[in-house]
Amino acid sequence: MARVLVVEDDQFVRSALIRHLTDAGHAVRSVGTALEALREVAQVGFDVVILDLGLPDLDGGEALKMLRGITDVPVIIATARDDEAEIVRLLNDGADDYLTKPFSVEHLSARMTAVLRRSRAGAAGAEPPSRVIQVGGLSIDPLRRQAELDGTALDLTRREFDLLAFLAGRPGVVVARKELLAEVWQQSYGDDQTIDVHLSWLRRKLGETAAKPRYLHTLRGVGVKLEPPQ
Ligand code: CA
């Protein structure tokens, strides 16, 4: 059972969603405007929000940004627009997933289950593993969020640290960009460039280049792996 907020101005779609989600055992509330949605999430705790992009009062993208200003609740965008650039922008602005209308109830349920699993795993995993990861001269302490290379502390951003810790946790294993996106960025869809940019920043902080890799090895079209220098 999940507490679901449906934000949808189309009365027909809204009733159908409420009926199906209630039948599936969820506790559902619904509103028809972005401002009502903001008021609801400020007052009631939800597990997931299903947000229609075409609302009468605010553009869905604006509504999402305002929601993100007050809550971390998972948001699934429901959109009639099949515009890849906009979907990428919304995911970068904090949407957790999206569905293009018309979608089936089964499809919505599957996405909801996945989003809830991720957010619950995130909450349960709030205590990171205490084990210090050691790969060659790299030492990564997930609990203290500190990383060292050959005894010198690395000054990493949150994302760079997560990326390094994830790759170092499975040394020698080639990880696909898609998996990095899902595991480090917690997105099911996005732009490979985002990953490449973060990888290049991380690489610079490790004092290496793509042409002369030591720890970080990119396999074109396949993915990336981290392993101790040979
Ligand atoms: Ca609408």
Side-chain angles (χ1 to χ4, degrees), residues 8-10 52 54-55 101:
E8 171 64 69
D9 61 319
D10 182 318
D52 173 34
L55 292 169
K101 291 180 184 173

Side-chain angles (χ1 to χ4, degrees), residues 46-79:
F46 290 101
D47 297 310
V48 61
V49 173
I50 298 165
L51 178 67
D52 173 34
L53 274 195
L55 292 169
D57 57 339
L58 271 182
D59 171 70
E62 286 304 310
L64 175 66
K65 276 189 206 159
M66 290 176 75
L67 270 178
R68 276 289 164 263
I70 55 174
T71 175
D72 286 332
V73 68
V75 174
I76 299 176
I77 299 285
T79 172

Side-chain angles (χ1 to χ4, degrees), residues 161-175:
F161 181 88
D162 289 342
L163 189 56
L164 181 66
F166 185 81
L167 290 170
R170 35 192 74 56
V173 176
V174 180
V175 181

Side-chain angles (χ1 to χ4, degrees), residues 36-51:
E36 287 174 290
L38 290 167
R39 197 165 53 222
E40 278 287 305
V41 298
Q43 288 170 358
V44 184
F46 290 101
D47 297 310
V48 61
V49 173
I50 298 165
L51 178 67

Side-chain angles (χ1 to χ4, degrees), residues 140-152:
I140 296 148
D141 184 340
L143 205 56
R144 290 159 64 221
R145 296 190 64 83
Q146 288 173 356
E148 288 181 356
L149 177 58
D150 301 328
T152 304

